[in-house]
Amino acid sequence: RCGRPCCRSTCGACARVWEWIRSYPHFGRLHYNFGEAGDENETLIPMPGDRLVREDVLGNKWKHYDFAVMFFSDYDVDPESEGNRIDFAEMQRFIDWVEEQNDAERFPELGERCVVESVHSLQNIPQTAGAGEDTVQYMVQCRIAYMEYAH
């Protein structure tokens, strides 16, 4: 395990996914699990635990590790403003990066008993997750599919 209280992954995925996400070249201030709702702050939010998809007779387990990346930015009340379009495009670029990593099989290392099979965004466009008077929050949810060997 990675040692973080929220991590239920036997592979210690939280810390390893954190390092993998940090390799995305366009994030500036990446926080873990919580962060400031300020301009150009990003937050990696792991979903608690890994979901067991199936298990074979040898005890090998296929699992999903799900997480979200939140992006906060200054908000313009005009939805067509240049700033809002740039922010939306930045999160779309992150979605594209995730898919490029999958296509090139550049996956996060999850440990010696875990083999990543794929990593994907669960949506094809960024989702607006909230807006305040002067801040907008975008969210992208992702899934890492992996196999954990029993031995």
Side-chain angles (χ1 to χ4, degrees), residues 82-140:
E82 183 70 17
N84 290 347
R85 286 196 302 261
I86 290 170
D87 294 337
F88 190 84
E90 178 60 42
M91 287 308 293
Q92 184 63 52
R93 185 168 28 175
F94 174 72
I95 290 171
D96 296 342
W97 178 82
V98 169
E99 295 305 322
E100 289 166 8
Q101 301 312 295
N102 182 69
D103 294 346
E105 296 184 1
R106 287 189 295 264
F107 303 130
E109 280 292 325
L110 297 184
E112 64 183 62
R113 289 185 23 228
C114 297
V115 176
V116 175
E117 297 178 344
S118 66
V119 58
H120 291 287
S121 170
L122 297 178
Q123 55 209 73
N124 61 356
I125 62 169
Q127 175 182 349
T128 304
E133 286 185 29
D134 57 359
T135 305
V136 65
Q137 176 182 5
Y138 297 103
M139 178 174 62
V140 173

Side-chain angles (χ1 to χ4, degrees), residues 23-40:
S23 73
Y24 176 64
H26 302 287
F27 281 165
R29 296 182 296 259
L30 183 64
H31 301 276
Y32 180 81
N33 213 25
F34 65 91
E36 296 177 39
D39 190 33
E40 296 186 22

Side-chain angles (χ1 to χ4, degrees), residues 8-10 48-57 59-66 143-150:
R8 300 287 180 254
S9 170
T10 55
D50 297 355
R51 187 171 72 82
L52 179 64
V53 178
R54 66 184 168 105
E55 184 174 357
D56 67 18
V57 295
N60 300 315
K61 299 175 182 176
W62 284 260
K63 295 181 175 183
H64 289 165
Y65 178 87
D66 295 337
R143 169 170 292 152
I144 298 172
Y146 70 95
M147 186 181 75
E148 181 178 22
Y149 288 101

